[in-house]
Amino acid sequence: MPIQLLRPLACATLTLHLGLLSACASDHADTPPSAASDTPQEPPRQVAVATPNTTPASPVQSSAPQLGFAEWRDQLRREALAAGIDARLFDRAFAGISPDPRVIAADRSQPEFTRPVWEYLDSAVSPSRISRGRTMLAQHGTTLTAIQQRFGVDREVLVAIWGMESAFGQNIGSYNVIRSLATLAYEGRRQAFWREQLLAALKILQHGDISPERLIGSWAGAMGQTQFIPTTYNQHAVDFDGDGRRDVWNSASDALASAAHYLGNSGWRPGQPWGFEVRLPQGFDYALADPEERRSLAQWRALGVQPVKAPNVAEEASATLLLPAGHRGPAFLVLNNFRSILRYNNSTAYALAVGLLSDALKTGRSQLQASWPRDDRQLSRSERIELQERLARLGFDPGAPDGIIGANTRKAIRGFQQLLGWPADGHPTAELLARLRTQP
């Protein structure tokens, strides 16, 4: 889901940043958020690609509401009317609205266990999704050609996002968006942010794109077949089918064109791939797998990094090295368009899934060559917190012990790995935690 919201989306910490877009509604809509940094996320939270077991979120919660909901709503009404919202429209949108306890439960819970990246990709780039996506490519070929000509974004990428976000329009969520956003603005975390989203949703209604009764989405207010949050919708939604309404709920044309418009404004480069799989030489310095380490393709080649398949990209193109499962798993060079996908959803797993799915839509099957380290045990959230605490005690700086494996934590892990003489890939493992536990 596009986000402009919580993130500064590819954010360094990969989790509660404003500016993201949406959640993967097709697999995870309406589920509680996860704290893992490399799984997809919804506006200010990550989608739960996890087991149902949840633990309370970190103590940084909102304080209890100082006003009753009715008084709070009346204050909001005055603010909305001052911003140009019609009074009758506001009253219609809020008719019968009360806080939704399911939304607060989702906002305040985080799963203890998350699925490893390969299990997420097994689902995201499954044979059935590839097959369905190719059918959608053929069925909407004329529209996709027109969208690609106008916005420059590859049709396969758009269909991959469509499949990831809503199962090609089949699952757009069932929550009343006004109720969800009102609940979060009233008593959720980041109340100011959600208030902004709520006012933006009222502007959508004021514009006449959809009626209050049909304004549905995920529990966090991500909307439509491409799961836009309201502020992103207001900036990037497009009426591509020409019916006078930007209808990302019911019009595949509008939804796909809106996603293309967002990606285009996020720096998408026509004709350039998102990235490609590579092989690394013996003795490679895995510490170079850092988002801040940008080198040209020619420079990576000089270090012995070799594409599995010759890419259609200039040698001077800037790329970073991605090791989503550490040095034992597949390696990728990712380019500018990968970063544009991250702006849609600030999760490396999500962006990788979109990239691999878009490639598979061209050929009919996944073509990943390297194997995933499926015998690796994933750390639980409490173990990730412990790992961060122990790294901090040793003088490394992983940031707040929140269980989120973001840029700071990976840097701290690399520092400890280098101290041990291990491959410094910044990847958290059970073996690494065990070694930390032996330190005084």
Side-chain angles (χ1 to χ4, degrees):
M1 84 195 189
I3 45 198
Q4 135 222 301
L5 31 152
L6 300 187
R7 45 196 161 258
L9 187 241
C11 50
T13 60
L14 284 182
T15 98
L16 306 176
H17 272 72
L18 319 184
L20 299 197
L21 305 171
S22 98
C24 300
S26 59
D27 291 332
H28 316 296
D30 305 338
T31 57
S34 158
S37 66
D38 288 334
T39 50
Q41 70 189 33
E42 195 163 354
R45 57 86 177 177
Q46 297 229 323
V47 173
V49 280
T51 64
N53 299 330
T54 59
T55 57
S58 56
V60 211
Q61 306 291 341
S62 62
S63 55
Q66 300 299 306
L67 302 174
F69 182 75
E71 186 177 358
W72 174 88
R73 180 200 58 217
D74 291 343
Q75 285 189 356
L76 177 73
R77 186 179 189 275
R78 290 192 289 272
E79 182 180 351
L81 268 55
I85 301 300
D86 181 78
R88 287 173 299 180
L89 174 65
F90 183 97
D91 294 341
R92 178 183 171 189
F94 271 84
I97 293 293
S98 62
D100 188 339
R102 300 173 302 165
V103 170
I104 291 301
D107 185 49
R108 294 182 179 176
S109 64
Q110 297 175 345
E112 177 66 9
F113 298 98
T114 56
R115 291 160 58 189
V117 62
W118 49 88
E119 288 186 9
Y120 173 70
L121 292 174
D122 286 347
S123 173
V125 194
S126 65
S128 61
R129 181 168 284 173
I130 294 170
S131 176
R132 178 65 173 160
R134 285 170 65 83
T135 298
M136 293 295 100
L137 279 168
Q139 183 175 324
H140 297 271
T142 301
T143 297
L144 288 164
T145 296
I147 292 173
Q148 186 168 339
Q149 289 174 344
R150 178 171 171 182
F151 298 106
V153 180
D154 296 353
R155 68 184 65 203
E156 290 85 4
V157 169
L158 295 176
V159 172
I161 287 175
W162 191 23
M164 293 288 295
E165 295 293 348
S166 67
F168 310 106
Q170 294 180 0
N171 184 356
I172 63 172
S174 59
Y175 282 74
N176 178 309
V177 168
I178 296 299
R179 186 184 187 194
S180 290
L181 294 177
T183 300
L184 292 165
Y186 174 61
E187 59 179 314
R189 298 177 290 171
R190 302 180 55 81
Q191 292 174 3
F193 169 78
W194 293 118
R195 192 180 189 93
E196 178 189 11
Q197 296 306 314
L198 178 55
L199 290 170
L202 290 169
K203 291 178 181 178
I204 293 171
L205 298 176
Q206 180 89 2
H207 190 270
D209 288 324
I210 197 161
S211 67
E213 296 76 19
R214 299 178 67 194
L215 184 62
I216 60 173
S218 73
W219 69 262
M223 308 174 305
Q225 298 185 33
T226 46
Q227 294 286 279
F228 275 21
I229 61 167
T231 51
T232 300
Y233 175 98
N234 284 333
Q235 292 181 26
H236 300 284
V238 172
D239 172 22
F240 199 76
D241 61 17
D243 68 352
R245 295 181 298 115
R246 301 169 298 171
D247 188 357
V248 299
W249 296 267
N250 304 295
S251 169
S253 298
D254 287 2
L256 291 166
S258 297
H261 187 215
Y262 183 91
L263 289 173
N265 286 344
S266 299
W268 187 271
R269 296 184 183 177
Q272 187 181 91
W274 62 272
F276 45 88
E277 187 181 4
V278 295
R279 296 188 183 94
L280 305 180
Q282 291 290 328
F284 184 77
D285 180 4
Y286 293 102
L288 295 177
D290 184 318
E292 297 181 2
E293 283 285 344
R294 296 190 183 185
R295 299 169 186 254
S296 69
L297 180 56
Q299 290 172 322
W300 285 114
R301 287 187 189 275
L303 292 171
V305 177
Q306 294 297 322
V308 169
K309 180 181 178 182
N312 182 24
V313 60
E315 287 291 298
E316 62 270 18
S318 176
T320 56
L321 181 64
L322 174 66
L323 301 176
H327 72 282
R328 295 183 57 220
F332 304 87
L333 283 182
V334 296
L335 293 90
N336 183 78
N337 287 345
F338 185 86
R339 292 185 283 274
S340 295
I341 298 170
L342 279 177
R343 288 179 62 86
Y344 200 94
N345 187 319
N346 192 26
S347 156
T348 55
Y350 175 88
L352 184 59
V354 168
L356 293 174
L357 180 56
S358 68
D359 288 348
L361 292 177
K362 296 175 183 178
T363 64
R365 61 186 179 86
S366 177
Q367 296 181 312
L368 194 62
Q369 298 296 306
S371 299
W372 296 102
R374 295 179 182 271
D375 57 336
D376 273 3
R377 181 180 73 80
Q378 299 297 289
L379 296 181
S380 67
R381 179 172 179 267
S382 55
E383 287 176 322
R384 296 194 301 269
I385 290 173
E386 180 189 354
L387 178 141
Q388 291 170 320
E389 292 172 340
R390 290 183 179 276
L391 285 169
R393 280 188 224 130
L394 292 176
F396 300 98
D397 184 15
D402 53 10
I404 297 167
I405 307 300
N408 291 336
T409 299
R410 292 191 184 281
K411 183 177 180 180
I413 290 173
R414 281 195 292 271
F416 184 59
Q417 288 172 326
Q418 289 169 332
L419 188 66
L420 297 175
W422 291 8
D425 58 9
H427 188 62
T429 64
E431 183 182 13
L432 183 74
L433 178 58
R435 188 60 179 265
L436 281 167
R437 287 169 173 165
T438 68
Q439 303 301 307

